[in-house]
Amino acid sequence: MELKARPTPPTFAKKSLIDCPRTEVDPWSKPLESSYGDGMEGLGNKTGHQCCRKQKVKRGLWSPEEDEKLIKYITIHGHGSWSSVPNLAGLERCGKSCRLRWINYLRPDLKRGSITAKEERIIVDIHRILGNRWAQIAKHLPGRTDNEVKNFWNSCIKKKLIAQGLDPNTHNLLSSNYKHNNNNNAWKLSYHSHQQPTSTFTVNSQISDISSMVMKAPPLPFPMIPLAPDTNPPLSHEFSSSLTYEYQNPKTQAFLESTASQSSIGSALIFSSTSHPSEFGMLDESCMWAGGYEPTQSIIPEKKQPEQQVEIEKISSELIGAGQQMDASFETSNFDFDFNFVESTLLPCGMYYNQSPIDQLAWDSWALQEKK
DNA sequence: AATCTATACAACCGCAGTGAA
DNA sequence: CTTCACTGCGGTTGTATAGAT
């Protein structure tokens, strides 16, 4: 069997935190040989994996030799039962460790390299709805693992949001609950927050250029972030349940209905509602908010039939062509697909966007960039 | 040059869910 | 119905490395 050659490690320099986008880490880089787990630390270790307690197992970083053994075995035999993999592959590791190594590092379909700005947007947008459900978020990022998403969130995005005065847990404004420290230009939580959420796009537009903003200027002053009109109920976790959010506008609904009747889309769930955007994910597995990114084939499951894919592309292009702007994600009985449009009148998460000339401008320039 | 500190990310831990015995 | 092994997930820790002092 032929194993994939390792790419030549690129030279890289660690960037400053502000630049955040991940450093150009060589995906195949390995620490010094001497640092690999060289003992049988798992033996008799009360805190080790259950499966490790019965046998001698190595722990710590994997050596290239171990990687090769695992790759070779799984490529030929598949993993089957993970607990039997170590023995069959000739590894002194526990099954759990093998599984983790394969899933997070050795799988051939993993995407190597830094997380892109686009992927970052997706992570932020979905996290806003789902919270720390890393595995769910990772499903929207082909080739990325939950561990990777989680690490990126903790080491990068979280800091960016805080630097903008946004609570990374709720994505709401931090206002008085976070105190800005002029010395280090950072926001620190001082007590429980209770604020208005920002619009989807507001967050995205800031994130896309946060490095320069933070570097060259103090953190964004709150007034730059559009606030909810007085006529709206308070948007917070003590949120009024009287307000109902609807995912879909009549125009798109009609369009999809007509399309569904003559295509493979079938029983598309095209309407749902909730009292708060944060509940979108809980409403129904088949309909969730996941706005903020472009229609993309990358999130379309591979199992999709070619004709379905063509259909999706057609719908996406027609919607875009019609100049609609709306964020939405649908799942039909057969498959799911996502659109990126923003129509402020439809989606409260994005409803402030049109009311802010700053955001409108940011949107336009972002959209322009994305087109290029 | 040596040491310290911060960062990124790989790996581990413990828990929950599931299914087979 | 209970037990147990297995798997998947989220939180946390460990470690190599870059940059600062």
Side-chain angles (χ1 to χ4, degrees):
Chain A
M1 185 200 64
E2 220 176 73
L3 293 175
K4 191 181 161 192
R6 290 166 190 257
T8 312
T11 53
F12 66 94
K14 226 170 191 173
K15 294 178 183 174
S16 72
L17 173 63
I18 289 303
D19 287 340
C20 227
R22 297 198 317 182
T23 51
E24 297 292 325
V25 175
D26 161 30
W28 294 103
S29 69
K30 301 290 181 192
L32 296 171
E33 195 71 28
S34 61
S35 65
Y36 297 125
D38 52 356
M40 301 300 180
E41 300 101 354
L43 184 61
N45 182 351
K46 276 199 288 184
T47 60
H49 298 159
Q50 207 166 13
C51 57
C52 306
R53 292 176 199 164
K54 298 174 187 167
Q55 60 195 93
K56 291 184 173 186
V57 291
K58 264 190 175 179
R59 297 176 64 192
L61 297 178
W62 281 61
S63 69
E65 291 73 29
E66 288 177 305
D67 281 347
E68 299 240 335
K69 278 185 184 176
L70 187 58
I71 291 172
K72 204 166 184 175
Y73 176 79
I74 293 183
T75 305
I76 295 172
H77 303 99
H79 64 73
S81 166
W82 281 111
S83 55
S84 59
V85 165
N87 278 340
L88 297 171
L91 290 161
E92 290 170 326
R93 296 271 179 175
C94 73
K96 201 168 183 175
S97 181
C98 292
R99 175 186 162 269
L100 206 67
R101 184 65 180 169
W102 177 257
I103 289 175
N104 286 339
Y105 200 84
L106 300 175
R107 249 167 51 195
D109 58 327
L110 285 180
K111 196 189 274 184
R112 305 290 182 176
S114 304
I115 286 182
T116 64
K118 198 168 184 175
E119 289 175 314
E120 185 177 322
R121 273 201 304 278
I122 294 172
I123 294 171
V124 172
D125 286 337
I126 302 180
H127 183 276
R128 182 182 301 109
I129 306 307
L130 300 181
N132 296 0
R133 291 162 69 180
W134 307 117
Q136 291 298 314
I137 296 172
K139 283 180 185 169
H140 290 265
L141 300 162
R144 302 294 186 186
T145 67
D146 53 350
N147 207 33
E148 201 174 6
V149 171
K150 180 172 58 184
N151 282 335
F152 186 66
W153 177 270
N154 287 328
S155 66
C156 187
I157 299 179
K158 207 168 167 181
K159 289 171 186 143
K160 281 185 180 179
L161 292 177
I162 292 172
Q164 293 175 84
L166 297 173
D167 184 333
N169 296 317
T170 65
H171 296 253
N172 292 344
L173 289 177
L174 293 165
S175 73
S176 57
N177 300 343
Y178 268 67
K179 303 290 184 192
H180 181 246
N181 181 339
N182 285 323
N183 293 329
N184 60 8
N185 206 18
W187 293 85
K188 194 176 180 179
L189 181 62
S190 57
Y191 53 89
H192 183 63
S193 68
H194 170 250
Q195 289 87 18
Q196 297 168 337
T198 55
S199 75
T200 296
F201 185 69
T202 297
V203 173
N204 287 340
S205 62
Q206 288 165 4
I207 283 175
S208 65
D209 197 29
I210 186 62
S211 55
S212 59
M213 285 171 138
V214 174
M215 285 298 280
K216 295 165 189 168
L220 277 177
F222 293 131
M224 281 188 70
I225 299 169
L227 301 174
D230 292 337
T231 51
N232 281 326
L235 299 174
S236 70
H237 275 168
E238 284 76 30
F239 192 70
S240 162
S241 60
S242 63
L243 178 64
T244 298
Y245 288 158
E246 293 177 359
Y247 292 56
Q248 192 57 278
N249 69 350
K251 207 159 59 176
T252 314
Q253 185 173 344
F255 176 84
L256 282 173
E257 276 171 347
S258 69
T259 316
S261 66
Q262 44 179 279
S263 77
S264 58
I265 285 182
S267 55
L269 176 57
I270 54 175
F271 181 88
S272 194
S273 63
T274 177
S275 59
H276 192 278
S278 66
E279 292 167 359
F280 284 3
M282 299 186 287
L283 270 180
D284 184 335
E285 284 292 317
S286 63
C287 186
M288 95 175 182
W289 163 269
Y293 48 99
E294 286 188 303
T296 165
Q297 288 184 52
S298 62
I299 58 169
I300 297 169
E302 284 174 13
K303 63 185 178 189
K304 211 154 290 166
Q305 299 299 313
E307 57 268 25
Q308 292 177 320
Q309 199 137 328
V310 168
E311 193 63 49
I312 292 167
E313 281 164 14
K314 186 182 152 206
I315 295 168
S316 321
S317 66
E318 286 188 35
L319 284 169
I320 294 169
Q324 287 198 61
Q325 295 183 335
M326 182 192 75
D327 279 343
S329 168
F330 306 98
E331 180 168 310
T332 71
S333 54
N334 299 320
F335 56 88
D336 63 325
F337 57 95
D338 294 56
F339 293 120
N340 172 34
F341 306 96
V342 174
E343 188 161 77
S344 61
T345 53
L346 289 175
L347 299 161
C349 280
M351 72 191 301
Y352 314 127
Y353 138 65
N354 277 345
Q355 293 161 9
S356 160
I358 293 167
D359 278 349
Q360 177 74 59
L361 197 66
W363 166 264
D364 289 341
S365 71
W366 177 79
L368 198 68
Q369 265 192 336
E370 290 292 305
K371 270 190 177 177
K372 282 179 185 174

